Amino acid sequence: MKLLIRLLVAVLLLSACHSREKITILTTENASNRVRFGAEQLVKALEANNKYEVKLEKLGAEKIKGKAIVIGEQGDSVLVRWKKENLRGINDGELVGKEAFQIRSIGESILLVEGVDGSGALYGAIELTDQLKASGTIDYQQELVDAPEMVLRGACIGLQKTSYLPGRGVYEYPYTPENFPWFYDKELWIDYLDMLVNNRMNSLYLWNGHPFASLVKLEEYPFAVEVDDETFKKNEEMFRFITEEADKRGIWVIQMFYNIIVSKPFAEHYGIKTQDRSRPIIPYIADYTQKSIAAFIEKYPNVGLLVALGEAMSGEENDVQWFTETIIPGVKDGLKALGRTDEPPIILRAHDTNAPLVMEKALPLYHNLYTTHKYNGESLTTYQPRGPWTAIHKSLSSKGNIHISNVHILANLEPFRYGSPDFIQKSVQAMHDVHGANALHLYPQASYWDWPYTADKIEGDERLLQIDRDWIWYKAWGRYAWNCRRDRDEEIDYWSQLLGEEYGAGEEVGRQILTAYEEAGEIAPKLLRKFGITEGNRQTLLLGMFGSQLINPYKWRVYPGFHSSCGPLGEILIEYAEKEHKGLAHEGEIPPQLIAEVVEHGRRAVEAIDAAALQITSNESEFARLQNDIHSYQAFAQFFSEKVKAAMQVLEFKYSGDVADLEEALPHLEKSVLHYKELVALTKDSYWYANSMQTSMRRIPIGGDNGKNKHWSELLPHYEKELASFKRNITLLSDRDDGELPVQKGKPWENAAIDWKTEYPTFEVKSGQKVFSDSPSKITQMAEELSNLNGLLLSSEKLDEEGIKLEFTAKQPLKLVLGYFNTGDKHFLTPPTLETNAMGNMRGEAEVQLANAMQVEGMPPLNIHTYLFEAGENKLVLEDGKVLILGAIEADQEITSRDVGLIGDEQKVAVDWVFY
């Protein structure tokens, strides 16, 4: 009996083998790596299908027998010959545009997949592969012509970490197995590159502060290399492997770097810092950088460069000089060594530089220049961009070069899953129609600083990979970068079917999951664009915001241009409250509308995802994590909504002085804490962190120094304390008989001993005192905290024209006290801005310690910042602009941050003290 069963199985298998359709895949003898790769991928898909018996052969002169697919490039001489013999009487139009392809039937049994170039033929083969996966068969009767809208479509990986390395600054991470073990994982690279090509992406950006010291050696600067010989060889091997594998898939690898950053051993050799924003261009640094670029271009000829002039250098003249006299000559030197006369693209990043000016000066020297700029800054906030940031995009895209839109960091989306095809499609349309961009540079959806892992906490020591968890993020951006004009109804069907298949539940359930993605996808963008302090790394939206940040945002230094650029016309909370008080008409998006909308988005998203949950049959664990994210978004929307309702009542109190307004705010603040507790419960065992950059760069809602305050459970006690303080202050205010607001006073700070190595005179910080040697302007009012200080009497004109370099000796750790005038006037020094200077809080200087802390005759309001210095010899270098050096205080004394309220009579005093 057993023998009979075996015979029957063998017969059935033999019968199945004979019943499989035979198909031949043909490429020419001239086929490029990309054509061959596309053909091989199609062969694998056909073999996995089990319906086909597949052969891969060369296209020859003999007639093709049976079913076949011919894959080749338009200009291939062998293919041209074959077409002449086989396409008689058939119109054979020319393909137009890079990466274009056509799939056409030749009779009943032959398909021709023809690309205008190797990438086009590759994408044609992938299109057939996708058709096979979707329908299970090959359609031999089709006519399809397709080409991408965007010239470059790419994603990036940061060779960065969640925290700084010992003795190093931001972005400074050598390529080593200790820092980046995943960099040496070839299987992971293959998976990632396959993901890119399957999503029709053709570029890969690698971000690092100074990669050259890990990848090239220079005879003149042997000490600059910062990895050992064994690691250097591994880096060479891996970089060649990555670029070769990428090239097969039509992917251009682009190495990004910052200026001016040098390697740690190079800096130690010359006794300088690795990065110093105030440093001028030093000849030996320029020579080292130029030679490094030349060696890189010569050694890795298939790799491009993305240049970030900003952050680690400053000044428009320096930017122009560095780009035209160091970077471009370095590229040319490398090309000359290779004997090349072509110009590979150089991408100029517009961040923190005058990119139009740099382009104007550079184009006569080098023609093949691309530009790139952040789409919504460092978040995803709108598909209706406008304002000054849009003007930058338009000015760059109007020059005739290719302009790249960079979807950057996604600080407001960390760490929950995000995959709204509708929002993404409209965003790509805005890139084309509003910004004039024709290329995409895409960041990971979350956990950029923790690549390749996500923040999800799962059982055991295993970590989820971003390319697995966030597949819909890459697929959606890739799909619309290829074609953003797809019909909306057809797209709903497409994504519904795809999501249904992903979770084994059918198209209707897939539609429910799509609804959940798209409803939840509106929450973070809407909230940040009208309530946030910044779109950048400085703020982690999904950890929440404090009441003071909502009702007195400018104390927290709202990033200039943010609200007017990153969303449609509307009003931020303080504007809305003022108009309400004055009875003025509102315009655009307003706070009550937005908080009602996000709560409704959360409700609909949860309703859809919970309905879908009943029918999930595959990927159940991942679906459960997605469902938890959707519930987390709802809890966050409810928390934020109640917080804003409370803030609106506090702002009403600002104008009325009626305690009843605060009493009406209290239930909303209490509800907000309850919803936050729900959020903590949802994330406690599901996430390691909310934000992947766990450094002093993170300031909103609270400082992230030393990896702290990165989880909702850490923030909850702060929100509970805020609620308790609010209740206490209502009681204190209710007990007052005069009906006046309590006046908050500060305690004078303790002076620290300091030896100024300068001849500048000092002055006592007090009312009636001049603050500049060449100006009659005197202090009229000031915070009590400043009353013991002794400042430096400097020339306002010299500060405005030259800036200042101060050297001093500290006998113990101390903090310098600086007064920054709160204005956008270019004659006043801008305080440290983390959005453009990632090193801008290394001494705690980015925080406003006292807002509106001094009034000086004829001057704007003044904010107090402090700079921490250790004992010993120190130096402070400030760029040009008026600023006050008000003295030094002991480093360890407690400072209570507050808004002192010394502003013009026409402005109401801030009332954020009710939250303290």
Side-chain angles (χ1 to χ4, degrees):
M1 187 65 182
K2 290 182 180 179
L3 179 60
L4 179 60
I5 291 172
R6 289 196 191 103
L7 286 172
L8 284 171
V9 171
V11 169
L12 288 171
L13 288 172
L14 187 60
S15 174
C17 184
H18 283 300
S19 67
R20 287 193 297 173
E21 183 178 5
K22 293 182 179 180
I23 187 169
T24 305
I25 309 297
L26 297 128
T27 60
T28 76
E29 60 188 15
N30 304 324
S32 66
N33 284 339
R34 296 177 188 181
V35 174
R36 288 198 297 270
F37 180 80
E40 290 164 2
Q41 295 304 105
L42 181 56
V43 168
K44 289 178 183 177
L46 287 164
E47 289 175 340
N49 183 268
N50 288 323
K51 291 181 181 178
Y52 298 94
E53 186 179 333
V54 193
K55 291 189 298 182
L56 180 60
E57 295 185 353
K58 290 287 187 290
L59 183 67
E62 65 275 6
K63 192 175 177 77
I64 296 173
K65 296 178 181 179
K67 296 288 181 71
I69 300 172
V70 178
I71 306 174
E73 295 181 46
Q74 187 171 254
D76 188 317
S77 58
V78 175
L79 184 62
V80 169
R81 238 181 0 256
W82 180 83
K83 285 167 62 178
K84 281 183 180 179
E85 295 175 3
N86 291 273
L87 298 186
R88 290 173 188 165
I90 301 176
N91 182 34
D92 183 30
E94 282 277 314
L95 287 169
V96 178
K98 290 182 179 180
E99 302 180 318
F101 68 86
Q102 64 176 338
I103 301 174
R104 59 189 307 187
S105 302
I106 312 297
E108 297 292 324
S109 60
I110 300 175
L111 277 179
L112 170 62
V113 178
E114 183 179 20
V116 73
D117 49 27
S119 290
L122 166 62
Y123 292 137
I126 292 174
E127 171 63 27
L128 275 187
T129 301
D130 286 349
Q131 290 180 15
L132 177 66
K133 290 176 181 177
S135 66
T137 61
I138 294 290
D139 178 10
Y140 284 90
Q141 299 304 310
Q142 60 174 300
E143 299 290 331
L144 172 64
V145 178
D146 204 0
E149 289 177 324
M150 284 191 160
V151 176
L152 284 178
R153 309 165 306 280
C156 85
I157 290 175
L159 279 100
Q160 319 275 13
K161 298 181 76 64
T162 59
S163 58
Y164 302 151
L165 295 178
R168 294 180 181 268
V170 65
Y171 308 133
E172 296 179 34
Y173 302 102
Y175 292 8
T176 67
E178 293 75 26
N179 289 336
F180 307 108
W182 56 265
F183 182 74
Y184 305 90
D185 186 338
K186 292 183 178 180
E187 289 185 10
L188 181 62
W189 276 112
I190 293 297
D191 288 344
Y192 182 74
L193 294 171
D194 283 348
M195 181 276 293
L196 292 183
V197 72
N198 288 332
N199 287 318
R200 314 301 196 272
M201 293 189 179
N202 64 1
S203 44
L204 163 62
Y205 300 81
L206 302 176
W207 283 62
N208 187 266
H210 184 73
F212 305 117
S214 296
L215 297 169
V216 296
K217 293 180 178 180
L218 303 175
E219 288 184 11
E220 301 93 324
Y221 302 96
F223 47 82
V225 178
E226 54 186 346
V227 297
D228 59 42
D229 289 343
E230 182 181 354
T231 300
F232 190 84
K233 288 178 182 177
K234 287 181 180 178
N235 291 347
E236 287 181 314
E237 178 196 351
M238 285 307 305
F239 221 76
R240 289 199 177 100
F241 171 80
I242 294 165
T243 54
E244 288 171 4
E245 289 296 326
D247 186 61
K248 281 185 201 174
R249 294 162 175 80
I251 296 168
W252 179 36
V253 178
I254 303 160
Q255 178 66 65
M256 176 271 180
F257 62 100
Y258 286 90
N259 294 289
I260 303 173
I261 298 180
V262 296
S263 71
K264 193 168 187 288
F266 182 95
E268 290 169 346
H269 179 86
Y270 286 103
I272 60 174
K273 295 180 180 179
T274 54
Q275 51 183 304
D276 183 351
R277 187 175 174 85
S278 60
R279 178 166 55 202
I281 295 175
I282 300 172
Y284 65 79
I285 295 181
D287 183 65
Y288 162 69
T289 304
Q290 181 174 335
K291 286 182 167 67
S292 294
I293 291 170
F296 183 80
I297 293 293
E298 182 180 0
K299 188 172 186 178
Y300 305 107
N302 295 323
V303 179
L305 293 176
L306 167 58
V307 181
L309 292 176
E311 296 207 43
M313 66 184 294
S314 65
E316 291 182 357
E317 292 182 5
N318 282 340
D319 288 355
V320 170
Q321 180 183 342
W322 190 254
F323 195 69
T324 59
E325 297 181 18
T326 298
I327 293 170
I328 289 176
V331 173
K332 287 185 172 182
D333 290 347
L335 294 173
K336 184 178 179 181
L338 291 170
R340 289 172 58 180
T341 57
D342 63 315
E343 289 185 344
I346 302 174
I347 302 173
L348 171 65
R349 188 182 182 212
H351 175 67
D352 193 30
T353 190
N354 185 342
L357 175 65
V358 176
M359 288 290 287
E360 176 189 335
K361 302 298 183 182
L363 278 169
L365 307 174
Y366 197 94
H367 302 294
N368 199 12
L369 296 177
Y370 291 50
T371 54
T372 183
H373 193 46
K374 299 172 185 174
Y375 171 59
N376 287 162
E378 295 184 347
S379 292
L380 186 63
T381 63
T382 187
Y383 43 79
Q384 297 174 281
R386 62 190 179 96
W389 296 0
T390 285
I392 295 172
H393 282 280
K394 288 182 175 179
S395 69
L396 294 171
S397 63
S398 64
K399 305 301 182 186
N401 58 284
I402 293 171
H403 180 57
I404 306 166
S405 190
N406 175 204
V407 180
H408 194 88
I409 290 292
L410 294 315
N412 66 325
L413 303 186
E414 281 195 309
F416 304 142
R417 289 155 179 77
Y418 187 95
S420 171
D422 182 44
F423 202 107
I424 291 170
Q425 182 177 14
K426 289 174 180 174
S427 296
V428 179
Q429 290 170 351
M431 292 174 184
H432 284 288
D433 301 339
V434 181
H435 288 166
N438 195 33
L440 171 71
H441 173 188
L442 180 69
Y443 262 56
Q445 186 253 297
S447 299
Y448 166 75
W449 305 94
D450 199 15
W451 181 268
Y453 305 111
T454 74
D456 296 83
K457 185 187 290 188
I458 57 178
E459 292 183 10
D461 297 327
E462 190 179 355
R463 299 284 304 274
L464 289 181
L465 295 175
Q466 292 178 30
I467 58 172
D468 294 333
R469 189 197 88 157
D470 299 326
W471 63 270
I472 193 172
W473 172 260
Y474 291 103
K475 184 171 284 293
W477 286 102
R479 181 172 177 81
Y480 298 123
W482 183 276
N483 178 7
C484 70
R485 310 298 177 181
R486 303 173 193 266
D487 178 77
R488 170 62 177 161
D489 290 336
E490 293 177 2
E491 288 306 285
I492 291 173
D493 292 341
Y494 170 82
W495 291 105
S496 297
Q497 182 178 352
L498 194 65
L499 288 164
E501 291 173 356
E502 177 73 14
Y503 295 106
E507 185 172 341
E508 190 53 43
V509 173
R511 195 176 299 267
Q512 293 170 324
I513 300 171
L514 176 63
T515 296
Y517 266 124
E518 295 194 333
E519 292 289 346
E522 295 286 343
I523 294 173
K526 284 186 174 181
L527 291 178
L528 186 72
R529 70 192 185 209
K530 284 297 181 286
F531 297 104
I533 304 296
T534 173
E535 36 55 66
N537 272 323
R538 187 159 57 100
Q539 176 163 5
T540 303
L541 174 74
L542 294 178
L543 282 176
M545 292 177 70
F546 290 108
S548 62
Q549 292 162 347
L550 290 170
I551 70 165
N552 191 14
Y554 287 98
K555 172 189 169 183
W556 300 86
R557 301 194 51 232
V558 174
Y559 188 43
F562 164 44
H563 290 132
S564 59
S565 298
C566 286
L569 184 68
E571 299 167 7
I572 64 173
L573 189 57
I574 56 173
E575 294 169 339
Y576 171 81
E578 183 178 4
K579 284 188 174 184
E580 278 287 285
H581 173 68
K582 294 179 178 179
L584 301 176
H586 300 288
E587 58 179 347
E589 292 184 330
I590 58 176
Q593 165 202 344
L594 284 174
I595 59 175
E597 287 178 0
V598 297
V599 168
E600 181 62 13
H601 286 311
R603 185 193 67 77
R604 290 176 183 169
V606 165
E607 183 179 83
I609 203 72
D610 287 353
L614 302 173
Q615 301 177 68
I616 301 304
T617 62
S618 63
N619 293 323
E620 291 95 336
S621 296
E622 174 56 22
F623 180 85
R625 289 187 284 266
L626 171 61
Q627 186 179 21
N628 192 70
D629 281 359
I630 300 299
H631 279 263
S632 297
Y633 259 124
Q634 182 191 39
F636 180 79
Q638 292 169 325
F639 151 77
F640 209 96
S641 173
E642 294 296 336
K643 196 70 171 274
V644 169
K645 289 176 183 177
M648 286 192 291
Q649 289 300 132
V650 172
L651 287 170
E652 183 64 27
F653 165 76
K654 171 181 175 179
Y655 294 105
S656 70
D658 189 344
V659 183
D661 290 320
L662 294 183
E663 291 171 342
E664 285 189 39
L666 181 57
H668 294 298
L669 199 59
E670 289 173 328
K671 288 179 184 177
S672 76
V673 172
L674 290 176
H675 287 304
Y676 204 83
K677 287 180 178 179
E678 294 173 25
L679 189 55
V680 170
L682 288 164
T683 56
K684 180 172 175 282
D685 297 319
S686 59
Y687 277 100
W688 292 108
Y689 56 77
N691 48 271
S692 60
M693 180 181 240
Q694 295 154 17
T695 69
S696 60
M697 275 280 289
R698 297 283 185 177
R699 308 316 299 166
I700 311 293
I702 196 169
D705 310 60
N706 302 315
K708 295 180 180 178
N709 299 315
K710 60 179 178 287
H711 196 277
W712 297 267
S713 58
E714 294 176 271
L715 266 292
L716 179 59
H718 294 284
Y719 291 129
E720 290 175 325
K721 180 181 178 183
E722 180 184 55
L723 175 59
S725 298
F726 190 77
K727 289 179 178 178
R728 181 199 64 223
N729 287 328
I730 290 177
T731 301
L732 290 173
L733 194 58
S734 299
D735 290 343
R736 293 179 66 92
D737 296 327
D738 56 11
E740 294 292 325
L741 302 181
V743 177
Q744 188 183 30
K745 291 188 176 182
K747 181 181 178 182
W749 291 341
E750 294 296 326
N751 263 321
I754 184 171
D755 179 12
W756 293 109
K757 297 185 174 181
T758 176
E759 297 180 357
Y760 294 115
T762 61
F763 69 92
E764 290 184 30
V765 180
K766 62 182 181 179
S767 293
Q769 171 65 50
K770 282 175 51 175
V771 293
F772 292 117
S773 62
D774 54 355
S775 169
S777 296
K778 297 178 181 179
I779 300 172
T780 59
Q781 293 187 83
M782 67 180 199
E784 293 84 354
E785 288 91 333
L786 309 177
S787 57
N788 282 342
L789 301 183
N790 292 290
L792 290 180
L793 195 63
L794 306 174
S795 163
S796 64
E797 184 176 337
K798 191 172 182 181
L799 283 168
D800 188 14
E801 293 177 354
E802 303 175 10
I804 194 168
K805 177 180 176 181
L806 293 171
E807 296 183 358
F808 58 93
T809 302
K811 295 182 179 179
Q812 71 283 317
L814 56 73
K815 291 178 180 177
L816 290 189
V817 181
L818 272 68
Y820 283 94
F821 294 94
N822 193 5
T823 175
D825 190 318
K826 66 179 181 180
H827 295 290
F828 294 85
L829 182 60
T830 301
T833 303
L834 289 173
E835 284 83 354
T836 57
N837 179 13
M839 295 286 285
N841 199 43
M842 301 303 288
R843 299 186 181 279
E845 66 269 37
E847 294 284 351
V848 175
Q849 302 296 346
L850 299 175
N852 301 306
M854 180 183 289
Q855 281 192 321
V856 179
E857 293 172 336
M859 296 286 180
L862 185 136
N863 295 337
I864 299 298
H865 295 243
T866 61
Y867 288 63
L868 175 65
F869 288 91
E870 297 301 321
E873 303 296 319
N874 290 288
K875 180 167 56 177
L876 175 68
V877 180
L878 299 175
E879 297 175 29
D880 55 291
K882 298 174 187 176
V883 66
L884 299 185
I885 311 295
L886 295 172
I889 61 174
E890 294 178 0
D892 58 356
Q893 69 184 286
E894 184 178 350
I895 291 179
T896 301
S897 176
R898 68 186 181 103
D899 189 330
V900 182
L902 300 180
I903 52 181
D905 293 336
E906 73 283 358
Q907 297 171 283
K908 294 283 290 185
V909 175
V911 292
D912 52 342
W913 59 266
V914 299
F915 293 105
Y916 298 146

